């Protein structure tokens, strides 16, 4: 967040936009540039902008949540300013919800690849992680890097990974070992078999990303139901599509929980009832206005439970408001 929002100035993003325009209108017959080089640059620029939008939202919701906590613990001053604070909190929350839904319902991090997908699929996947306790009721705010958990048998994690990989097709195998640095572990995944067609390769990649995403979020097996992975390094070699797929598994589920958290907060604020987010669950499961988004595939069972509980509280808050009129 600091890197993209503070180190990279507004001038940088204006410069990047102008380069994208020039690249998209480049005449490869007059310039010392190959067509794929141009496409790769535009794709990389789009991905960088996607991450900027993501971190801008994360920065905004972090500040909003901090102000919300201050408002809730304002003591004697709270009653005097509750109406004003509630209106301000509601207005900002509604803008955040619109911002988050725009990310969810667009092709975020869906950068096209110009290389050979079959060759990319043979690249190894390597992660350096730290075991962390899975948070409960964190509204998608994520794991804390210093929330380390107790020791875990590496065979337990390796077995859970390979059992999950077998369930989704069995074309990959994982190995887990201790890192040279204390409390860190190394996970490596390699391809052993599978469909080599473009469609088959993409399905294998999505299945692998799904399993790694569940491991990161802490939902591989009963033995690991309270353990997540705090990823400190990931290497997909030249297969950037795989890297993006793993990021989407983690980030989009977090974004959905943040959306439902905002809706829950808005429903409990005094004053006029906000209608923002009332169709959020329908959108996530693919039955709302956005139709066939299929966002539910990014949620683990634990996250589904968290989402349902927050939606339940939001609905109760709305019914209580209607009953008090």
């Amino acid at each position: 967040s600091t890197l993209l929002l503070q180190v990279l100035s507004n001038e940088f993003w204006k410069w990047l936009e102008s380069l994208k325009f020039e690249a998209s209108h480049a005449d490869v017959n007059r310039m010392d540039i190959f067509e794929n080089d141009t496409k790769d640059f535009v794709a990389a620029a789009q991905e960088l902008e996607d991450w900027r939008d993501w971190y801008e939202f994360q920065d905004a919701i972090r500040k909003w949540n901090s102000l919300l906590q201050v408002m809730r613990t304002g003591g004697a001053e709270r009653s005097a300013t509750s109406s004003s604070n509630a209106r301000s909190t509601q207005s900002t929350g509604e803008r955040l919800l619109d911002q988050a839904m725009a990310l969810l319902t667009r092709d975020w991090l869906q950068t096209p690849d110009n290389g050979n997908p079959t060759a990319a699929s043979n690249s190894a996947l390597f992660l350096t992680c730290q075991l962390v306790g899975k948070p409960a009721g964190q509204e998608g705010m994520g794991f804390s890097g210093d929330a380390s958990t107790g020791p875990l048998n590496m065979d337990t994690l390796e077995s859970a990974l390979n059992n999950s990989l077998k369930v989704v097709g069995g074309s990959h195998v994982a190995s887990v070992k201790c890192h040279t640095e204390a409390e860190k572990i190394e996970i490596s995944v390699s391809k052993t078999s599978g469909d080599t067609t473009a469609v088959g390769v993409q399905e294998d990649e999505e299945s692998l990303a799904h399993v790694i995403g569940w491991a990161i979020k802490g939902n591989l097996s009963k033995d690991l139901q309270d353990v997540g992975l705090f990823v400190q390094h990931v290497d997909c070699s030249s297969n950037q599509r795989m890297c993006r797929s793993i990021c989407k598994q983690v980030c989009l589920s977090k974004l959905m929980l943040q959306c439902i958290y905002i809706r829950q907060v808005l429903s409990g604020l005094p004053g006029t009832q906000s209608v923002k987010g009332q169709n959020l669950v329908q959108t996530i499961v693919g039955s709302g206005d956005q139709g066939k988004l299929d966002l539910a595939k990014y949620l683990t069972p634990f996250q589904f439970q968290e989402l349902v509980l927050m939606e339940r509280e939001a609905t109760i808050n709305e019914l209580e408001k209607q009953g008090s009129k």
Side-chain angles (χ1 to χ4, degrees):
S1 178
T2 301
L3 175 63
L4 286 178
L5 302 182
Q6 296 180 16
V7 177
L8 299 180
S9 64
N10 290 332
E11 286 70 24
F12 169 82
W13 299 108
K14 293 176 182 178
W15 170 78
L16 187 66
E17 191 63 35
S18 65
L19 283 182
K20 280 177 57 183
F21 177 82
E22 291 177 11
S24 63
H25 292 77
D27 184 349
V28 295
N29 296 316
R30 293 188 294 106
M31 300 177 65
D32 185 18
I33 189 170
F34 293 102
E35 184 177 2
N36 278 346
D37 290 337
T38 305
K39 291 179 180 178
D40 288 343
F41 168 78
V42 173
Q46 181 59 55
E47 182 174 348
L48 189 58
E49 290 176 333
D50 281 348
W51 281 116
R52 175 198 59 188
D53 295 343
W54 163 263
Y55 281 116
E56 280 182 344
F57 175 75
Q58 294 305 317
D59 189 57
I61 192 174
R62 190 180 302 113
K63 292 176 180 176
W64 181 74
N65 195 50
S66 296
L67 290 173
L68 179 66
Q69 301 312 314
V70 171
M71 186 184 81
R72 285 174 169 173
T73 57
E77 298 179 0
R78 180 180 175 184
S79 58
T81 58
S82 58
S83 264
S84 173
N85 285 342
R87 286 194 298 271
S88 175
T89 302
Q90 177 174 324
S91 176
T92 304
E94 289 177 344
R95 287 199 305 270
L96 284 173
L97 197 51
D98 286 339
Q99 188 178 349
M101 289 304 297
L103 286 171
L104 278 176
T105 55
R106 82 181 204 208
D107 291 332
W108 182 79
L109 222 59
Q110 195 68 35
T111 310
D113 288 296
N114 301 310
N116 185 338
T118 304
S121 70
N122 295 323
S123 302
L125 171 63
F126 179 83
L127 300 97
T128 302
C129 322
Q130 182 180 352
L131 298 172
V132 293
K134 184 169 64 176
Q138 291 295 312
E139 292 83 38
M141 295 304 172
F143 298 149
S144 171
D146 57 359
S148 59
T149 187
L152 177 74
N153 190 323
M154 295 299 99
D155 292 340
T156 303
L157 178 56
E158 184 174 304
S159 176
L161 278 168
N162 283 314
N163 287 339
S164 297
L165 289 170
K166 189 178 296 184
V167 169
V168 297
S171 59
H172 293 85
V173 62
S175 65
V176 182
K177 65 179 182 179
C178 293
H179 192 269
T180 52
E181 194 173 334
E183 298 185 350
K184 292 185 181 179
I185 61 173
E186 294 178 352
I187 300 175
S188 57
V189 182
S190 56
K191 188 174 177 66
T192 57
S193 62
D195 192 344
T196 57
T197 64
V199 174
V201 166
Q202 185 167 354
E203 289 178 351
D204 280 350
E205 288 176 347
E206 290 176 355
S207 296
L208 175 56
H210 181 82
V211 171
I212 296 299
W214 276 40
I216 293 171
K217 293 181 281 190
N219 213 109
L220 273 182
S221 69
K222 186 176 180 180
D223 293 333
L224 299 170
Q225 61 183 355
D226 296 320
V227 180
L229 299 177
F230 177 58
V231 179
Q232 297 169 333
H233 171 74
V234 59
D235 183 3
C236 298
S237 188
S238 60
N239 191 352
Q240 295 305 307
R241 184 170 64 189
M242 168 60 67
C243 189
R244 289 193 295 271
S245 294
I246 294 173
C247 290
K248 289 181 71 173
Q249 283 288 335
V250 177
C251 293
L252 291 183
S253 59
K254 177 176 179 176
L255 194 59
M256 281 182 265
L257 290 178
Q258 289 174 327
C259 282
I260 205 75
Y261 170 61
I262 295 172
R263 161 161 161 67
Q264 177 192 336
V265 171
L266 293 178
S267 69
L269 292 174
T272 306
Q273 181 173 306
S274 175
V275 297
K276 288 284 185 179
Q278 289 186 339
N279 296 321
L280 179 58
V281 172
Q282 291 89 330
T283 300
I284 289 172
V285 300
S287 61
D289 294 337
Q290 299 299 331
K292 304 173 182 178
L293 283 174
D294 194 20
L295 294 170
K297 65 182 180 182
Y298 296 109
L299 293 168
T300 67
F302 173 81
Q303 290 175 318
F304 259 120
Q305 181 183 13
E306 195 172 2
L307 183 145
V308 169
L309 288 174
M310 286 190 284
E311 174 62 23
R312 175 179 177 273
E313 184 170 338
T315 303
I316 291 174
N317 288 340
E318 291 170 346
L319 290 174
E320 288 178 345
K321 275 189 176 181
Q322 292 174 4
S324 63
K325 289 181 178 179

